[in-house]
C-alpha cells in the first residue's frame, strides 16, 4: 500500500470487502436452499401449535436454531411447562458451544466486536460451511465473508419462518419432503472433498457417526451429538498433523 | 409465551458466545488446537448419521439412497449446489 493515496486505499478496502461479501453469500447459498423449506415447515407447524406470526418469527430471530424451534413449538402445543422447554432447548443446543469453541479458536486474531456477533450466528450449517472455508479466516476482511455467509442463512431462516406462518404450506408436500435431504446432502458435499484430500478425516467423521449412533440409543439426541463431536474430534489429536486444518 | 421464547433464546445464545471470550483469555496447547480443528469433521459425521435415516422416518432407506447419490456426486467433484439438488431429485424420484 506504500505510495498509494489514502483515498485509493479506502477504495481498495471497500472493493475487497465487497468481494468477500459476495463470496460469503455464495458460500451461504446451499444453506439457503436447505433452510427455506424447513423454515416454511416450521412456520406452518408453529402456527398450528398456537403461536402467533409475531411469536414464531420472533423465535426465529432470537433463537435461530432449527431443531430446537421445532421441538419448542411441539412442546408448546403439548402444553409443556416453560422450565422444561428451556432445559430441553439448552441440551439440544449445547453442541453449539463445542462448535463455537472450534470456530472462535480459528478466529483468534479477530476482535471481540466481530467474534461475538459471528458466534451468535452459529448453527450446525453455518458452522460446518464456515469451518470448511478455513482460508478466509486468514485473508483480509475475512470476517465480511463469514458475516455474509451467516446473514444469508439467517435471513433465509427468519424470512422462511415468516412465510410459513403467513402463507401456510406453499411448497407441495412431495417436494418439501424430498427437500428434507438438502442439509444432509450439503453436509456430505462438505465432507467428501476433505476426505478425498486426507483419508484420516474420514476416520474422524466415521467415529463421530458411530459414537453418536451408539449414544443416541441411550441418551437424548442433543447429548449424543455433543459426545460424538467431542470424542470423534478427540481422535483428531492423534490423527491430524501439527497445523493441519480444514481446507 | 414471550418468556418461553426469551428463555430459549438465552440458553441458546450463551453457549454460542461464551467461547468468544474464552479464546480471548486463554491460549491452548497444540493438542487442543488439533482437537478443535478436528471438530468440524466430527460434527459433520455426527450430523449426517443417523439423522439422515429420518428424511422419511418410516422408510430409512430413502435417506440412505439420497445420501449415497450425494456421496457419488461429491466424489466426482460436483459443485455443492448440484450435490444438494441431485440428492433432492433422487429422494423425489425414489418416493414417487
Amino acid at each position: 500500500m506504500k505510495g498509494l493515496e489514502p483515498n485509493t486505499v479506502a477504495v481498495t478496502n471497500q472493493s475487497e470487502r465487497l468481494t468477500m461479501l459476495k463470496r460469503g453469500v455464495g458460500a451461504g447459498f446451499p444453506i439457503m436452499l436447505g433452510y427455506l423449506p424447513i423454515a416454511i415447515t416450521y412456520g406452518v407447524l408453529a402456527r398450528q401449535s398456537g403461536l402467533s406470526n409475531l411469536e414464531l418469527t420472533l423465535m426465529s430471530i432470537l433463537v435461530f436454531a432449527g431443531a430446537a424451534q421445532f421441538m419448542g413449538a411441539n412442546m408448546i402445543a403439548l402444553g409443556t411447562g416453560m422450565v422444561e422447554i428451556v432445559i430441553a432447548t439448552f441440551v439440544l443446543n449445547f453442541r453449539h458451544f463445542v462448535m463455537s469453541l472450534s470456530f472462535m479458536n480459528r478466529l483468534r486474531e479477530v476482535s471481540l466486536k466481530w467474534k461475538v456477533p459471528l458466534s451468535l450466528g452459529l448453527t450446525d450449517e453455518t458452522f460446518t460451511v464456515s469451518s470448511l472455508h478455513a482460508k478466509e479466516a486468514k485473508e483480509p476482511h475475512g470476517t465480511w465473508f463469514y458475516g455474509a455467509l451467516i446473514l444469508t442463512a439467517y435471513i433465509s431462516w427468519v424470512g422462511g419462518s415468516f412465510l410459513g406462518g403467513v402463507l401456510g404450506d406453499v411448497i407441495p408436500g412431495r417436494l418439501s419432503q424430498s427437500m428434507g435431504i438438502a442439509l444432509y446432502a450439503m453436509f456430505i458435499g462438505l465432507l467428501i472433498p476433505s476426505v478425498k484430500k486426507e483419508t484420516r478425516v474420514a476416520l474422524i467423521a466415521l467415529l463421530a457417526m458411530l459414537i453418536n449412533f451408539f449414544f443416541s440409543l441411550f441418551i437424548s439426541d442433543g447429548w449424543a451429538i455433543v459426545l460424538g463431536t467431542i470424542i470423534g474430534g478427540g481422535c483428531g489429536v492423534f490423527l491430524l498433523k501439527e497445523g493441519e486444518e480444514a481446507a | 409465551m414471550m418468556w418461553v421464547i426469551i428463555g430459549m433464546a438465552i440458553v441458546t445464545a450463551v453457549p454460542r458466545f461464551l467461547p468468544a471470550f474464552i479464546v480471548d483469555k486463554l491460549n491452548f496447547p497444540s493438542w487442543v488446537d488439533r482437537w478443535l480443528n478436528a471438530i468440524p469433521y466430527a460434527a459433520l459425521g455426527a450430523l449426517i448419521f443417523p439423522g439422515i435415516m429420518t428424511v422419511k422416518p418410516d422408510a430409512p432407506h430413502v435417506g440412505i439412497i439420497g445420501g449415497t447419490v450425494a456421496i457419488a456426486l461429491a466424489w466426482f467433484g460436483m459443485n455443492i449446489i448440484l450435490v444438494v439438488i441431485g440428492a433432492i431429485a433422487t429422494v423425489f424420484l425414489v418416493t414417487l
Side-chain angles (χ1 to χ4, degrees):
Chain A
M1 288 302 162
K2 210 169 114 191
L4 287 180
E5 294 293 318
N7 222 356
T8 324
V9 175
V11 170
T12 314
N13 255 328
Q14 213 177 23
S15 73
E16 274 175 8
R17 282 179 190 154
L18 198 65
T19 311
M20 286 314 248
L21 214 71
K22 282 185 194 154
R23 279 169 59 191
V25 173
F29 186 74
I31 306 182
M32 178 188 263
L33 199 63
Y35 271 6
L36 276 176
I38 301 179
I40 291 171
T41 312
Y42 156 75
V44 174
L45 193 102
R47 201 79 184 81
Q48 290 163 356
S49 305
L51 276 86
S52 69
N53 265 330
L54 176 74
E55 287 166 340
L56 71 89
T57 310
L58 202 66
M59 197 194 276
S60 285
I61 292 172
L62 294 176
V63 182
F64 188 36
Q69 289 180 229
F70 271 101
M71 185 197 64
N74 221 333
M75 290 174 95
I76 288 168
L78 294 170
T80 317
M82 170 177 169
V83 178
E84 259 181 88
I85 298 177
V86 171
I87 291 174
T89 304
F90 175 76
V91 169
L92 193 58
N93 285 342
F94 188 73
R95 62 184 187 282
H96 295 145
F97 177 79
V98 185
M99 297 179 184
S100 179
L101 202 56
S102 167
F103 188 50
M104 290 299 121
N105 191 43
R106 192 158 286 157
L107 293 183
R108 234 167 219 293
E109 312 306 320
V110 171
S111 71
L112 259 184
K113 90 173 199 286
W114 269 104
K115 274 204 209 93
V116 172
L118 288 176
S119 71
L120 286 172
L122 278 188
T123 62
D124 299 338
E125 295 76 21
T126 58
F127 166 70
T128 46
V129 176
S130 296
S131 296
L132 296 217
H133 283 88
K135 69 176 193 314
E136 278 80 356
K138 294 190 193 72
E139 289 178 30
H141 311 299
T143 45
W144 287 71
F145 171 84
Y146 297 118
L149 189 165
I150 288 171
L151 267 181
T152 305
Y154 186 65
I155 291 167
S156 333
W157 181 252
V158 173
S161 315
F162 178 75
L163 273 182
V166 177
L167 302 175
D169 255 323
V170 284
I171 301 181
R174 263 239 99 70
L175 186 60
S176 111
Q177 191 200 348
S178 311
M179 289 183 93
I181 191 94
L183 292 175
Y184 293 110
M186 186 186 78
F187 291 143
I188 290 171
L190 288 170
L191 187 57
I192 296 297
S194 308
V195 167
K196 279 175 75 178
K197 235 181 279 172
E198 180 55 75
T199 326
R200 282 169 295 180
V201 163
L203 208 57
I204 295 171
L206 281 174
L207 270 164
M209 283 184 190
L210 292 177
I211 294 162
N212 177 26
F213 179 61
F214 175 75
F215 282 110
S216 68
L217 301 173
F218 307 105
I219 53 176
S220 77
D221 288 355
W223 288 123
I225 291 185
V226 169
L227 287 176
T229 306
I230 292 180
I231 304 173
C235 304
V237 174
F238 310 103
L239 290 169
L240 291 186
K241 286 190 288 262
E242 202 70 39
E244 195 168 47
E245 277 182 12
Chain B
M1 188 69 74
M2 227 32 128
W3 287 109
V4 176
I5 296 171
I6 291 169
M8 288 174 73
I10 293 171
V11 296
T12 305
V14 172
R16 273 179 183 162
F17 75 68
L18 219 52
F21 295 93
I22 294 175
V23 301
D24 227 47
K25 295 274 175 296
L26 291 177
N27 265 311
F28 298 131
S30 73
W31 68 268
V32 176
D33 276 334
R34 285 206 300 281
W35 174 62
L36 291 174
N37 283 337
I39 290 291
Y41 305 124
L44 281 170
L47 288 168
I48 293 168
F49 189 83
I52 196 162
M53 296 195 296
T54 61
V55 169
K56 199 172 189 305
D58 52 327
H61 67 276
V62 171
I64 300 287
I65 294 170
T68 310
V69 170
I71 291 173
L73 293 176
W75 197 269
F76 292 114
M78 290 276 212
N79 179 288
I80 194 151
I81 298 283
L82 295 175
V83 173
V84 171
I85 292 174
I88 294 172
T90 305
V91 171
F92 187 81
L93 293 174
V94 169
T95 53
L96 271 182

